Amino acid sequence: MEFIRTRIETQVMSMTGLALGQLDMENPKGDPGLFGPQAVCWQVHGDFPSMLIGGICALMLQMLHPRVLAGVWDHSNFRDDMLGRLRRTGQFISGTTFGSTHDANWLIDKVRNIHSQISGTTLDGSVYAADDPELLTWVHVAEVSSFMAAHLRYLNPALSLEDQDRYYAETALVAERLGAQQVPRSAQEIARYLDTMRPQLLCDDRTREVLRILQGAPAPSRMAKPMGNLMRRAGIDLLPVWASGLLDIQMSNFKRKMIRAGVNRTAPVLRWAVRNASVHRARRRMGVM
């Protein structure tokens, strides 16, 4: 049993930002980082299955914004290394959530520096820049709203509205440190923001190509492939109805039920197996379990 548990954990960890090996989540002892273990974001970001599902959903949402899509298309190697992109995103989220104060600040400064070097024009001639406050807000909201949706569906549907608001207020701090402005800080503000953004979103050939690449992204190993495929389908199923419509995704109610049932069978096994994720290491750093 221990062998199986270790094998599963090894496969899971290979898909996370910890696989990049740049952060020491267990030191320095007693450093709470930007939030500390009492934060709601520690609860939400500490669950690998729902975070992976939410992250896949978030990427598809983000690519519906033509200027965000252009930046990724022109300056990212996602077409050759989708898993690497997911790992780097995971490293930033886990590092700013669970990492030491030094590492969280280092990651924020690193991303700000990268963003300052990314700019260009879209296919229709519109100018974009990765450090545009409006684009940063869109990327952030697409991300945190997807993480929350996955958390409510697959881990804790009883999370109070008060705690949901706390989560959005906490994570807004990181978005603002990156340069985002007018960041929604409650569930109601998030819903209102998404509604106002819908007229700016579209799906074109490049959006569909990103979706195709995401759906065909290789797993880190043969053992992880079935789980990866299930999580990708769950991420697609998690999309808001209006976003599925834009992407022309057709999925029957029966298929959606099968996907959700599959996740609900698989997720407890993953949670049982993983003992050394970022949240576990951060708890050890803080002396809480």
Side-chain angles (χ1 to χ4, degrees):
M1 186 65 71
E2 184 63 24
F3 172 76
I4 294 173
R5 190 175 192 178
T6 301
R7 284 289 302 274
I8 294 173
E9 181 176 41
T10 300
Q11 296 301 313
V12 168
M13 299 298 286
S14 71
M15 302 175 69
T16 71
L18 287 172
L20 300 176
Q22 296 175 304
L23 304 179
D24 180 3
M25 296 288 185
E26 298 200 38
N27 293 290
K29 301 300 183 184
D31 183 344
L34 299 185
F35 301 104
Q38 78 289 343
V40 182
C41 61
W42 274 48
Q43 298 177 40
V44 176
H45 294 176
D47 182 55
F48 171 77
S50 59
M51 286 295 287
L52 179 56
I53 293 167
I56 291 167
C57 176
L59 179 59
M60 290 185 285
L61 269 183
Q62 290 165 350
M63 294 305 102
L64 289 173
H65 195 299
R67 285 186 288 155
V68 173
L69 172 63
V72 172
W73 191 272
D74 295 343
H75 298 275
S76 171
N77 67 341
F78 75 94
R79 288 182 287 275
D80 303 315
D81 188 21
M82 179 63 78
L83 180 58
R85 176 179 171 79
L86 292 172
R87 281 174 176 152
R88 290 188 294 275
T89 301
Q91 181 194 59
F92 180 81
I93 294 164
S94 63
T96 53
T97 305
F98 303 112
S100 68
T101 305
H102 173 274
D103 285 348
N105 289 332
W106 173 73
L107 284 165
I108 290 169
D109 290 342
K110 176 184 175 182
V111 171
R112 285 183 66 101
N113 181 58
I114 292 171
H115 284 171
S116 71
Q117 303 172 50
I118 295 175
S119 61
T121 56
T122 64
L123 292 178
D124 68 2
S126 301
V127 176
Y128 68 81
D131 56 6
D132 181 334
E134 291 184 7
L135 299 189
L136 289 166
T137 300
W138 166 250
V139 168
H140 167 75
V141 171
E143 211 164 61
V144 295
S145 63
S146 297
F147 293 153
M148 179 56 68
H151 183 84
L152 293 172
R153 177 172 294 177
Y154 291 113
L155 184 62
N156 183 15
L159 187 70
S160 70
L161 186 58
E162 179 183 4
D163 279 346
Q164 292 177 47
D165 289 348
R166 281 181 57 202
Y167 169 76
Y168 289 125
E170 290 165 0
T171 54
L173 298 175
V174 176
E176 290 164 353
R177 288 277 305 277
L178 289 175
Q181 296 177 3
Q182 298 180 314
V183 181
R185 305 177 80 88
S186 70
Q188 185 178 47
E189 290 179 8
I190 289 281
R192 189 181 303 124
Y193 173 85
L194 288 170
D195 192 51
T196 61
M197 287 297 295
R198 285 174 58 181
Q200 300 182 40
L201 309 178
L202 59 86
C203 177
D204 59 16
D205 289 341
R206 297 203 298 187
T207 318
R208 284 185 282 271
E209 177 67 4
V210 173
L211 180 60
R212 186 193 66 77
I213 292 169
L214 180 62
Q215 290 176 318
S221 71
R222 290 175 60 187
M223 183 178 175
K225 186 174 181 178
M227 186 267 290
N229 289 338
L230 174 63
M231 297 300 170
R232 274 196 295 271
R233 292 194 294 269
I236 294 170
D237 172 47
L238 190 67
L239 283 164
V241 173
W242 57 263
S244 294
L246 272 178
L247 289 163
D248 196 27
I249 293 172
Q250 308 293 328
M251 190 179 291
S252 68
N253 288 334
F254 176 75
K255 186 173 183 180
R256 291 181 185 275
K257 289 179 181 178
M258 292 300 292
I259 290 169
R260 295 176 196 186
V263 173
N264 286 327
R265 287 193 301 270
T266 304
V269 177
L270 299 179
R271 292 173 187 135
W272 163 78
V274 176
R275 293 161 289 180
N276 289 288
S278 296
V279 64
H280 303 107
R281 299 180 190 202
R283 285 173 180 157
R284 291 197 288 266
R285 185 181 78 241
M286 293 299 297
V288 296
M289 300 302 295

